[in-house]
Amino acid sequence: MASVLGTSSTASFASQLVSSPSSKPAFPSLSLIPGQSYGKKFYGGIGIHGKKGRSQFRVAVTNVATETNSVEQAQKLASKKSQRPVYPFAAIVGQDEMKLCLLLNVIDPKIGGVMIMGDRGTGKSTTVRSLVDLLPEIKVVSGDPYNSDPADPESMGMEIRESILKGEELTVVLTKINMVDLPLGATEDRVCGTIDIEKALTEGVKEFEPGLLAKANRGILYVDEVNLLDDHLVDVLLDSAASGWNTVEREGISISHPARFILIGSGNPEEGELRPQLLDRFGMHAQVGTVKDADLRVKIVEERARFDKNQKEFRDSYKAEQEKLRSQIASARSSLSSVQIDRDLKVKISKVCSELNVDGLRGDIVTNRAAKALAALKGKDKVAAEDIATVIPNCLRHRLRKDPLESIDSGLLVIEKFYDVFS
């Protein structure tokens, strides 16, 4: 589905891309080797100026031809049919804490992801993968390996920025937010990207082949059993998640590309905990326990049996509830920027963090963001104290652990301190 980006916003858009000589670079620099097919070399971001008195910057995004539309729609339909049917998110019984954390991160990706820890067989992976059906559509530049946003320079690959500065036409399509699974056996080359071996052998040129971080840009990166992932890979993931960029320096290639994704990890605490400084990089923490109520357990077993027997019929029975959730998420994402939080509540949030001796300011920032996302999900334009009470245990409890040998607090300490400060 193609769309047109109007030229009325050209001046303001170009001003984001072109920095004045005195200003600091807005983007990481890109240094490519001679002969590589990446066009001009960038030094400290974009700083290209046209002739005096004339603006050479034009964003021209046109409708694609009917043939292209039909081909893309056919490919989209074919890929949708080939996907494995996932368990509906609305059919997940219980586990409200985990579901809420996931929904809040979809509404505001800047929350910073979620770490889900719990017993084996409690539906962690099933719940995360069921999120795929609820993800909204976003605008991307067609054919771009980084899912570049045509209106946001911070989520745009270097080649797309260069094309915009040259005034080239870009095809914009609507596509669903991408979810990328990172297997435990993945290599660093596959995650970060490396040299395109095929082009190196056939054409004799060094060209960058994007990895999973590029594919996950503006989407979701899911790591099952994240506590078993190699430490150096976890460091790479968390560094990219925090900065929004992935920098690759290897075999004569030096390149940076956007890598803004929602990082979701799951694991069983019996198999080991993450280091405290790594846990701190996850915006929220959800604890999942085995359901104790016998009636609920029977319902879960029966629902799973129905799904295994006839997946299409089971998914159809939850279609209305799924659609309602989709519209709630879309509405919350659009209204999020207008949600307000009183300064008095911000001060109290920071006081809770301070008295709990939470290191750094990530706890304060994430709590504010999560409370606003929850208010948006409820359809409100102002954050209330009960919204903060709902999200603050998930935002702070994994930041209280100072000793790697300690277990993560259940959230009781955070709740006690919350009521002490907010009373």
Side-chain angles (χ1 to χ4, degrees), residues 59-226:
V59 181
V61 183
T62 61
N63 285 317
V64 290
T66 309
E67 293 82 2
T68 310
N69 267 337
S70 59
V71 170
E72 283 181 353
Q73 286 172 1
Q75 288 175 345
K76 215 174 189 181
L77 192 63
S79 65
K80 193 173 180 180
K81 285 182 178 178
S82 64
Q83 286 176 353
R84 292 181 302 174
V86 295
Y87 199 84
F89 190 87
I92 304 288
V93 178
Q95 313 300 8
D96 295 331
E97 183 180 305
M98 171 171 56
K99 291 193 290 186
L100 179 63
C101 289
L102 292 172
L103 289 177
L104 295 183
N105 273 274
V106 173
I107 292 167
D108 184 2
K110 291 183 179 178
I111 286 173
V114 55
M115 179 65 184
I116 303 167
M117 296 297 279
D119 305 331
R120 52 190 177 274
T122 48
K124 299 185 294 294
S125 304
T126 301
T127 306
V128 174
R129 293 192 173 101
S130 69
L131 203 61
V132 172
D133 282 345
L134 301 180
L135 299 177
E137 289 187 328
I138 54 173
K139 288 182 180 179
V140 300
V141 177
S142 180
D144 181 64
Y146 308 117
N147 301 315
S148 293
D149 185 344
D152 181 13
E154 284 294 318
S155 302
M156 194 182 290
M158 294 292 184
E159 284 187 320
I160 301 302
R161 280 190 235 151
E162 190 177 27
S163 297
I164 289 176
L165 290 175
K166 288 178 179 177
E168 295 177 6
E169 294 181 351
L170 299 175
T171 302
V172 179
V173 296
L174 277 176
T175 184
K176 268 206 160 189
I177 287 178
N178 197 21
M179 179 179 276
V180 178
D181 265 300
L182 178 65
L184 288 179
T187 62
E188 189 174 348
D189 283 356
R190 183 69 190 100
V191 173
C192 300
T194 185
I195 282 183
D196 189 330
I197 300 297
E198 186 179 347
K199 284 206 172 185
L201 293 175
T202 56
E203 301 175 24
V205 295
K206 292 179 182 177
E207 186 161 320
F208 180 67
E209 182 181 2
L212 293 178
L213 291 181
K215 190 178 178 183
N217 186 39
R218 302 181 65 208
I220 294 174
L221 186 65
Y222 174 50
V223 190
D224 195 10
E225 307 294 348
V226 66

Side-chain angles (χ1 to χ4, degrees), residues 233-310:
L233 277 183
V234 175
D235 290 339
V236 167
L237 291 182
L238 296 177
D239 192 47
S240 296
S243 66
W245 286 83
N246 174 41
T247 303
V248 180
E249 302 276 354
R250 56 161 55 96
E251 289 91 20
I253 280 185
S254 175
I255 186 172
S256 292
H257 68 77
R260 297 177 179 275
F261 50 82
I262 303 169
L263 182 60
I264 299 176
S266 64
N268 184 349
E270 292 177 357
E271 295 166 341
E273 292 276 8
L274 282 174
R275 304 196 305 268
Q277 60 270 38
L278 300 184
L279 265 177
D280 181 62
R281 296 290 186 94
F282 286 92
M284 303 182 79
H285 182 279
Q287 285 186 338
V288 183
T290 304
V291 176
K292 301 297 182 186
D293 185 83
D295 290 332
L296 272 182
R297 291 171 77 109
V298 170
K299 185 179 179 182
I300 294 169
V301 172
E302 289 175 344
E303 292 288 271
R304 184 69 211 192
R306 274 210 308 136
F307 177 74
D308 292 338
K309 184 179 179 181
N310 191 329

